[in-house]
Amino acid sequence: MADVCRGVTLRQLAWVHDWHVHEESYAAALARLIEAHRVLPLAKVWGSGTTSSSDGQYFRAGGRGEALADINARHGNEPGVAFYTHISDQFGPFYTKVIAATASEAPHVLDGLLYHHTGLQIEEHYSDTGGVTDHVFGLCHLFGFRFAPRIRDLKDRRLYVFPNMVQPTGVQPIIAGTINVEHIRAHWDELLRLAVSIRSGTSTASAMLKRLSAYPRQNGLAVGSV
């Protein structure tokens, strides 16, 4: 980078990296850039800034992964990390998070929607299959986001409807049963406390989603948030 930055030396760049580049300053700087970008007339040509999508990009790291038993189904034993990025319909990457290459992407979908520092008002969000779980669907609804992922092997998914609801035409083969409304009602207060904790940042969405997915199915809150 020093070679392409006129008047800036490698030593100066290293000093800036060591003293000023950290997660908080990066997020603040990114927010300033996105705010400047989204008011440009050209940005408004691409979109309104109310929809977004997210995906991960893998970057290989040094060393050998087999020594740490770090095996990834997609990348094998090559060690590395994934940058999980949220980008608006105006092509502004408003949130980026570094996660383990072996980690599930789904718990981090809501982090980008809730904890970015920009003025974007996201209403609808897209992801690929890696960002999809029932818990993400449920919590997106609680927070007022319309979650519209691109799901691989959709025919193998199963849907559930409310009791006495007329089943939509064409989807009857993938409807597996009815929703237990009484169970949701019994745990509604707990679900609201969970949503408030996540929204306020007391606990991050990704941390809580990891816990919920690890709970056995008989756990009332884990089942009720689906």
Side-chain angles (χ1 to χ4, degrees):
M1 184 176 289
D3 291 338
V4 298
C5 295
R6 182 179 300 176
V8 180
T9 66
L10 177 60
R11 182 184 180 88
Q12 290 173 318
L13 288 174
W15 183 85
V16 171
H17 174 271
D18 293 340
W19 288 95
H20 297 287
V21 179
H22 46 79
E23 186 174 350
E24 292 78 11
S25 61
Y26 176 84
L30 179 61
R32 294 288 295 272
L33 290 172
I34 295 301
E35 287 299 286
H37 170 265
R38 73 188 188 93
V39 298
L40 296 175
L42 183 60
K44 299 181 185 299
V45 172
W46 296 110
S48 61
T50 58
T51 66
S52 63
S53 61
S54 60
D55 199 3
Q57 185 176 7
Y58 173 80
F59 291 89
R60 191 183 187 284
R64 299 186 64 82
E66 64 267 22
L68 301 174
D70 186 13
I71 306 299
N72 185 285
R74 182 180 300 175
H75 307 292
N77 58 14
E78 292 187 355
V81 296
F83 281 67
Y84 196 67
T85 301
H86 288 60
I87 185 170
S88 73
D89 56 5
Q90 296 176 333
F91 291 91
F94 61 91
Y95 185 86
T96 297
K97 183 177 185 180
V98 180
I99 63 175
T102 55
S104 170
E105 296 177 351
H108 305 281
V109 168
L110 275 166
D111 280 0
L113 296 175
L114 295 173
Y115 308 134
H116 65 89
H117 301 296
T118 75
L120 291 170
Q121 300 295 322
I122 303 299
E123 300 174 0
E124 184 171 273
H125 185 72
Y126 316 105
S127 76
D128 59 13
T129 303
V132 178
T133 65
D134 290 339
H135 289 135
V136 174
F137 267 109
L139 287 175
C140 276
H141 181 73
L142 275 179
F143 291 123
F145 299 113
R146 182 174 184 269
F147 188 44
R150 302 175 299 276
I151 302 177
R152 183 179 62 248
D153 299 326
L154 182 61
K155 61 181 177 57
D156 297 327
R157 295 273 173 164
R158 291 295 176 263
L159 300 178
Y160 296 84
V161 297
F162 285 100
N164 303 319
M165 176 181 174
V166 177
Q167 297 182 3
T169 304
V171 298
Q172 289 89 349
I174 60 176
I175 293 178
T178 58
I179 296 172
N180 188 340
V181 178
E182 291 304 318
H183 184 88
I184 295 176
R185 183 178 289 114
H187 294 86
W188 186 246
D189 288 344
E190 294 178 71
L191 289 173
L192 292 182
R193 282 194 290 270
L194 172 66
V196 170
S197 296
I198 292 175
R199 171 66 81 173
S200 64
T202 302
S203 181
T204 63
S206 55
M208 293 308 301
L209 282 169
K210 289 175 184 177
R211 289 187 180 184
L212 289 174
S213 63
Y215 283 166
R217 296 297 296 178
Q218 61 266 27
N219 180 277
L221 182 58
V223 175
S225 59
V226 172

